[in-house]
Amino acid sequence: MRRAYKLRAYPIRPQEGRAVRLLADHCDLYNAALQERRDAWRMRNLSVSYGDQSAQLKEIRAADPDGQGRHSFTAQQQTLRRLNAVFAAYFKRVRKAEKGRQQAGSGENLRQRMVGYPRFKPRQRFDQVLFVAGDGAKWESADGGRWAHASFQAVGRVKVGQHRPVVGRVKTLQLKREGRRWYVVVVTEMEPVSLPTTGRDIGVDVGVTRFLTTSDGEVVANPRFLKAAQERIVELQRRKQRARLGSGNRRRLRRALAKEWRKVRNQRRDFHHKTARGLVDTCDALALEQLRVAAMTAAAAGSVEHPGRNVAAKAGLNRSILDAGWGQFTSILVAKAESAGRRVVLVSPAFTSIDCHTCGASCGRPRQEIVVCPTHGELDADLNGARNIAARAGLGSGQASAA
């Protein structure tokens, strides 16, 4: 399996200038490859593949020795593969939208199923370049010390703060910019190390009021990081909108706003990692709902002909769901479980909250926190859902009976 380590980098001023030039040159390569694909299709109905564009790199580098020729050949290939992945995702969305139009018929509002074509990237938003270790990039571990070093072609040997050991064989290195900070993402390949068995198999129900509830009664509160920072973010956004375009004040406000969003993002990710680690260390198998978060958070505004209902309430719910970050938590939990030899089962979320976990009867839900079974009376909605999830996954938690 592969594991990624994100470490803070501290380039000196000349190295930072060269790193900015590196990102700019790779951005130009990305945009030129995108332009070639657009023109080939518009003018001649021809599809340009990654192999076609990779074969042109030798000529491009020879024609521009002080520009594209300065950089790692394999890193440039990774940038072209990145564009190829963007087009693969675009064609997948096109096929999905076409299938949806065919199923919905001619009465479908086609504006809701338009698929955006891949766009050019401005230099200020092209923030990462991927290198293959040993070919244009080299990793030097700290070996018990505080400082490691990462060397990148056309940038130099950059000092990196290594706050934890990097385990496994280094496969790729990624130089990444976030605002005014720089990071090195080290991806290693390692063998999973199985943890001792615990005899605990549980179902996990995620929510908004509580972040999660397990089938044996454990509850983790929802920290609501975005809600805590929302007042500051709204104030900075208001001041930024009022600042004059191109002014130094607007630039400072944009950086302050990015800092607040980065803080919320880091808090949420840290919470997800710690919560997932606690579950993986204490459970042999975990069952979760396979939630479609993108569909759950779709806008409720509707169209002019068919306006949505309770739009403000739906917008607030969407904000709470995205603040909880269920998708990121599931990805982190699955990765940690794989590295520890644990089992994760994803089940259908249909009716897990409103079916009684004991008898399977459909329950009423007079309030968000409870459901009422015709036979067994009031039940905790989240605990009932977690036990249904465990039963649906076939886990022997001792708390769920298959209905």
Side-chain angles (χ1 to χ4, degrees):
M1 61 167 294
R2 293 197 172 191
R3 173 176 288 179
Y5 299 84
K6 185 178 179 182
L7 308 172
R8 179 82 180 271
Y10 298 88
I12 60 177
R13 189 63 60 86
Q15 290 175 338
E16 186 173 7
R18 292 194 292 269
V20 171
R21 171 73 185 277
L22 169 74
L23 294 178
D25 288 343
H26 276 262
C27 180
D28 292 342
L29 177 65
Y30 180 96
N31 288 335
L34 174 56
Q35 184 68 55
E36 182 185 23
R37 291 190 180 220
R38 288 166 61 101
D39 292 345
W41 181 256
R42 287 178 177 178
M43 297 178 181
R44 294 172 291 172
N45 282 352
L46 291 178
S47 295
V48 179
S49 67
Y50 159 76
D52 298 329
Q53 294 187 319
S54 179
Q56 302 174 38
L57 274 178
K58 186 175 180 180
E59 297 177 4
I60 293 172
R61 292 165 58 85
D64 187 17
D66 296 328
Q68 297 295 335
R70 300 167 57 248
H71 304 298
S72 166
F73 184 88
T74 54
Q76 291 172 326
Q77 287 181 317
Q78 302 306 318
T79 297
L80 294 180
R81 285 195 176 97
R82 176 178 171 181
L83 176 63
N84 194 63
V86 169
F87 269 92
Y90 164 70
F91 291 129
K92 182 178 179 180
R93 294 195 303 271
V94 169
R95 290 191 295 269
K96 185 176 179 180
E98 183 62 31
K99 182 179 179 181
R101 276 193 289 264
Q102 293 174 357
Q103 292 176 350
S106 58
E108 175 89 7
N109 182 5
L110 297 183
R111 291 186 60 187
Q112 297 180 359
R113 293 192 173 272
M114 292 178 63
V115 178
Y117 192 81
R119 295 182 292 180
F120 295 102
K121 288 186 176 292
R123 287 185 174 183
Q124 62 269 24
R125 298 192 65 180
F126 194 95
D127 293 328
Q128 54 192 358
V129 174
L130 182 65
F131 291 81
V132 176
D135 192 346
K138 180 183 177 182
W139 173 251
E140 301 172 43
S141 184
D143 292 331
R146 178 184 177 186
W147 300 107
H149 292 86
S151 301
F152 299 99
Q153 185 173 329
V155 175
R157 188 170 179 260
V158 180
K159 188 168 69 171
V160 180
Q162 186 176 334
H163 60 274
R164 58 174 176 157
V166 175
V167 181
R169 180 186 176 190
V170 178
K171 301 294 290 184
T172 63
L173 295 169
Q174 188 178 63
L175 183 62
K176 186 175 185 179
R177 176 180 60 189
E178 290 186 6
R180 304 177 77 176
R181 294 185 177 189
W182 293 88
Y183 295 89
V184 173
V185 181
V186 184
V187 177
T188 66
E189 192 171 63
M190 57 175 294
E191 293 295 328
V193 179
S194 298
L195 295 178
T197 59
T198 63
R200 184 188 182 202
D201 298 340
I202 62 170
V204 178
D205 180 71
V206 294
V208 173
T209 304
R210 303 169 181 171
F211 179 71
L212 66 82
T213 304
T214 67
S215 56
D216 54 6
E218 180 183 353
V219 174
V220 177
N222 187 1
R224 299 178 184 271
F225 296 114
L226 178 58
K227 185 177 181 180
Q230 192 167 4
E231 186 176 343
R232 298 192 302 273
I233 290 174
V234 169
E235 174 63 17
L236 287 171
Q237 185 67 37
R238 182 186 62 81
R239 292 169 58 191
K240 174 175 168 287
Q241 292 297 328
R242 292 183 177 182
R244 181 169 54 85
L245 290 174
S247 66
N249 188 40
R250 186 182 178 91
R251 184 166 58 251
R252 286 188 291 272
L253 288 169
R254 186 175 67 246
R255 289 172 179 168
L257 188 61
K259 182 179 179 180
E260 289 294 333
W261 280 112
R262 182 175 65 245
K263 181 180 178 180
V264 171
R265 184 171 64 250
N266 290 342
Q267 287 176 323
R268 184 185 297 120
R269 185 185 299 111
D270 180 70
F271 169 72
H272 287 167
H273 274 285
K274 290 178 178 177
T275 305
R277 173 50 60 194
L279 292 175
V280 168
D281 286 347
T282 58
C283 302
D284 293 334
L286 304 103
L288 294 92
E289 296 171 300
Q290 192 168 16
L291 299 173
R292 298 175 57 200
V293 178
M296 295 172 65
T297 55
S303 61
V304 176
E305 298 80 6
H306 304 285
R309 294 180 299 174
N310 300 324
V311 175
K314 183 63 167 65
L317 177 60
N318 290 352
R319 191 181 304 114
S320 298
I321 292 174
L322 294 173
D323 186 20
W326 299 335
Q328 177 177 267
F329 172 72
T330 301
S331 300
I332 290 173
L333 181 64
V334 169
K336 289 186 182 297
E338 182 184 358
S339 66
R342 305 303 200 195
R343 185 164 63 100
V344 175
V345 183
L346 299 177
V347 304
S348 170
F351 308 112
T352 54
S353 296
I354 59 175
D355 285 351
C356 177
H357 69 275
T358 302
C359 63
S362 181
C363 304
R365 194 164 188 173
R367 298 196 305 273
Q368 181 66 25
E369 64 272 15
I370 66 167
V371 293
V372 180
C373 174
T375 304
H376 300 93
E378 287 191 1
L379 303 169
D380 184 286
D382 295 334
L383 181 59
N384 177 68
R387 292 178 175 178
N388 275 326
I389 292 167
R392 193 167 291 184
L395 301 184
S397 65
Q399 299 292 334
S401 301

